[in-house]
Amino acid sequence: MAKKLSEFPSVPLCHQPTPLEFMPRMSESLGGPRLWIKRDDCTGLATGGNKTRKLEFLIADAIEKGADMVVTQGAVQSNHVRQTAAAACKFGLDCHALLERRVPDRANDYETTGNVLFDQMFGTSLEFRPAGLDMNAEAMAVTEKLAAAGRKAYFIPGGGSNEIGALGYVSCAYELLEQIKANKLDVGWIVLATGSAGTHAGMLAGLHAAGSTIPVMGVSVRQPEDKQIAAVHKLAVLTAAQLTDTPLGVEKVIVDDGYVGAGYGQPTQGTLDAINLIARREGLLFDPVYSGKGLAGMIGLAGQNFFESDKDVIFLHTGGAAALFAYGNQLAEHAANG
């Protein structure tokens, strides 16, 4: 049965509404369209990021179910794990995380700096795993083992990406529609990086439930187009079904997989160029795993005249600057040469 968003339990973690800012110098650099940025890097929890919105609903569900700890998983430099660990601290829960060594050929400090340092500061117990495993299944098995040992463990999937977590981006979609109206924008596209699918699916579900026809371009950071479309659509359908009886068609899921490069967490030259460009045009910090690849996609599409030049285009900044330190040598070299 369809419910209103306010009927779902949530806890306060997020600074909201996050700002919607015009980017005049980026717009000029790309020769139009009018570029805006939705600042979900400013959600406030442990340097911010998109997972905070999801955790408002996931932590509420954990508390409602009587949990005394949360278990989750991510790549070594996971923004999600960092924000989950901080949210657990805020509500007196323990946090255990599995980190997948997903990114090859990294510097020696990759597993001790950036997000990993923050995980440790928040008292998270960490386990590392080799690349290529079903990490949600691994984390579920650990959750069951902890439960058998007497802990009240609550499992949060990677990225907080299930139909509970995705409600955070339904909330964001509603918020953004209000800001679009207040600023009298004529929005041609919303662009975002798409990975574990929760942000993309929640945004689509929220726009769909609100009756908006604004299209969303998901720039894949890991998977090929067909796999990403299937993952996003599956979760978007589950999320939207909680809010409306109107079915959400697969045609609403649009993905560009042309900016993945060598794989997850491996920035291309275009990613590094995009990070450098927005830093020097707008004073904004983007990460090399998610937002940087998403931005490279938006820049590439603008260069192909994909966007109508007289429309507004909104980029959803999902945060992640904490991971920049783990890529310091690569970024410093590029900045010096840029």
Side-chain angles (χ1 to χ4, degrees), residues 8-225:
F8 294 90
S10 64
V11 295
L13 287 171
C14 180
H15 296 176
Q16 51 190 314
T18 57
L20 178 65
E21 300 174 354
F22 182 50
M23 297 194 289
R25 282 169 48 77
M26 278 295 286
S27 301
E28 184 184 3
S29 289
L30 302 184
R34 297 183 299 271
L35 300 177
W36 297 73
I37 185 163
K38 176 64 171 162
R39 297 290 307 274
D40 268 23
D41 58 319
C42 298
T43 51
L45 180 70
T47 76
N50 61 323
K51 314 305 182 186
T52 301
R53 289 187 188 269
K54 301 178 184 182
L55 287 161
E56 290 200 318
F57 294 91
L58 289 161
I59 294 293
D61 192 52
I63 291 167
E64 200 170 72
K65 289 182 166 65
D68 62 10
M69 72 179 301
V70 293
V71 179
T72 195
Q73 61 87 7
V76 169
Q77 283 293 331
S78 170
N79 297 307
H80 162 69
V81 170
R82 180 237 315 155
Q83 288 164 82
T84 301
C89 288
K90 204 167 172 68
F91 287 91
L93 304 172
D94 289 337
C95 180
H96 183 79
L98 279 63
L99 300 181
E100 181 187 6
R101 291 186 166 117
R102 195 182 298 169
V103 184
D105 305 322
R106 288 289 109 197
N108 291 336
D109 65 352
Y110 191 75
E111 294 187 359
T112 57
T113 189
N115 282 308
V116 183
L117 172 63
F118 291 158
D119 297 341
Q120 292 168 334
M121 290 178 71
F122 294 129
T124 313
S125 51
L126 300 173
E127 288 183 51
F128 289 86
R129 290 285 193 275
L133 299 175
D134 180 338
M135 288 296 290
N136 277 336
E138 292 284 313
M140 273 293 294
V142 171
T143 305
E144 288 162 9
K145 187 178 172 185
L146 287 162
R151 297 303 304 266
K152 294 172 183 173
Y154 179 90
F155 169 67
I156 295 177
S161 293
N162 60 15
E163 61 267 37
I164 299 171
L167 291 169
Y169 273 84
V170 170
S171 171
C172 183
Y174 292 172
E175 181 181 297
L176 185 54
L177 287 171
E178 287 182 16
Q179 291 174 316
I180 288 167
K181 186 177 177 183
N183 285 281
K184 298 183 171 64
L185 304 188
D186 183 11
V187 178
W189 285 87
I190 295 166
V191 182
L192 49 79
T194 183
S196 62
T199 300
H200 193 175
M203 180 64 70
L204 288 175
L207 294 171
H208 177 71
S212 171
T213 58
I214 298 172
V216 178
M217 171 60 73
V219 180
S220 180
V221 303
R222 187 182 187 190
Q223 296 202 110
E225 179 185 359

Side-chain angles (χ1 to χ4, degrees), residues 270-291:
T271 308
L272 298 172
D273 289 344
I275 291 169
N276 222 26
L277 182 65
I278 201 158
R280 296 186 182 190
R281 291 292 186 276
E282 299 289 349
L284 292 168
L285 295 171
F286 274 53
D287 82 295
V289 182
Y290 291 98
S291 57

